[in-house]
Amino acid sequence: MSQLHIAGGHLSFTHDGKPRQLFDDINLSITKGESLVLLGASGCGKSTLLNVFAGFQALDKGQVILDHQPVTSPSGQRAVVFQDDALLPWLNTLHNVEIGLKIQGFAKAQRQQLAYDYLELVGLEAHAQQPIQKLSGGQRQRLGLARALAVKPDFLLLDEPFGALDALTREKMQALLLTIWKETGVGVLLITHSVDEALLLATYLCVLHGPPTTIIDRAQPSFARRFLKGETVRNIKADPEFSVARQQLLDQLLEVI
């Protein structure tokens, strides 16, 4: 099974002429077919770790390894979805999904069909020719997911992609992400500061504190797999077991703030 791994990661920066450590000897793995969620307060280093996994940020010491090979730059194997959707405003919905396929050298007819297939996967097929300025926030995030998935990555890296959405749209997007994970088998790394979101979407959950970034707990919640077996998000969140786990995580986070 394909695996993406930070091994012995060290990273620091200089502030006011003094070195400041971001993290020291971090070890983290994402396995294809699993969902790793990094949970922690703003500023604890979650997004920096995602940037390291993506190849946007080099380590001072240590390595990022994909299937026993060092990672030194971004690649289509690791697609990234940001909170700011970063769509191209001069392209319509379909063409935004096509862009990665065009870079990969797909012929026009093939990339159009593939782009439409991924718009269908996220429920945007009826908006294929629409200017992105006319899409809602939730639709724009769906489009970001379709664009990332179209290049068929092994790993999907998401940096708080639902943070700006209203509660109802956010829950719908969480269910969509679980469905995509089930249907594609992609490995997921999700960054969030939402306890509910972390519990629902993680098969592996790391609780972070920092800076310097420290992993203060690791867990394997069962709720994402329950969704894959047919339970609804609404039923899972209403389960007393979910409430107990939520309170335990909140207590843990409040202790270190």
Side-chain angles (χ1 to χ4, degrees):
M1 187 68 70
S2 186
Q3 189 175 75
L4 181 62
H5 183 57
I6 294 177
H10 299 252
L11 186 63
S12 61
F13 70 103
T14 302
H15 180 70
D16 292 337
K18 298 179 180 179
R20 300 185 67 176
Q21 193 174 80
L22 287 175
F23 50 81
D24 178 34
D25 198 25
I26 285 284
N27 294 277
L28 271 175
S29 295
I30 317 167
T31 302
K32 190 173 181 182
E34 299 291 346
S35 176
L36 170 65
V37 175
L38 304 184
L39 171 69
S42 297
C44 73
K46 305 184 300 294
S47 294
T48 302
L49 285 169
L50 181 142
N51 288 335
V52 170
F53 272 121
F56 300 148
Q57 173 69 59
L59 292 168
D60 296 334
K61 289 172 60 180
Q63 282 188 309
V64 182
I65 302 166
L66 175 59
D67 297 337
H68 310 293
Q69 297 298 319
V71 170
T72 57
S73 62
S75 80
Q77 290 173 293
R78 291 156 289 132
V80 182
V81 178
F82 298 101
Q83 183 171 348
D84 177 0
D85 52 60
L87 300 172
L88 303 178
W90 59 90
L91 299 178
N92 68 15
T93 299
L94 183 71
H95 292 160
N96 260 279
V97 181
E98 278 188 68
I99 190 70
L101 298 168
K102 185 176 182 179
I103 291 170
Q104 289 185 337
F106 283 84
K108 183 177 181 179
Q110 186 180 13
R111 68 176 185 255
Q112 284 183 342
Q113 183 59 57
L114 285 169
Y116 185 84
D117 290 344
Y118 281 96
L119 287 177
E120 190 172 26
L121 177 65
V122 301
L124 286 178
E125 66 275 14
H127 303 274
Q129 302 303 323
Q130 196 164 355
I132 65 167
Q133 293 84 353
K134 293 187 177 181
L135 299 178
S136 68
Q139 288 171 332
R140 290 172 71 95
Q141 287 296 11
R142 286 173 182 259
L143 179 54
L145 282 171
R147 184 176 63 178
L149 291 165
V151 297
K152 295 188 176 180
D154 291 322
F155 298 95
L156 185 63
L157 315 181
L158 304 109
D159 192 357
E160 300 195 40
F162 312 141
L165 303 178
D166 64 85
L168 181 59
T169 303
R170 185 168 186 157
E171 188 165 295
K172 289 180 179 178
M173 291 299 296
Q174 290 166 356
L176 174 64
L177 180 58
L178 286 169
T179 301
I180 287 171
W181 171 55
K182 177 182 179 179
E183 294 186 6
T184 64
V186 69
V188 172
L189 170 65
L190 175 72
I191 304 300
T192 186
H193 57 262
S194 165
V195 170
D196 284 31
E197 188 164 88
L199 282 173
L200 178 66
L201 299 180
T203 57
Y204 291 90
L205 172 60
C206 289
V207 183
L208 305 183
H209 175 60
T213 304
T214 305
I215 301 172
I216 61 174
D217 195 18
R218 299 176 189 249
Q220 297 183 44
S222 62
F223 305 109
R225 297 202 184 280
R226 284 171 54 177
F227 177 88
L228 299 190
K229 292 178 181 178
E231 287 192 60
T232 65
V233 169
R234 185 62 34 186
N235 285 343
I236 290 169
K237 288 186 175 182
D239 188 330
E241 183 182 345
F242 190 91
S243 298
V244 169
R246 180 181 184 275
Q247 191 58 54
Q248 288 173 341
L249 268 181
L250 281 171
D251 291 343
Q252 187 175 46
L253 288 168
L254 289 170
E255 283 180 5
V256 296
I257 290 177

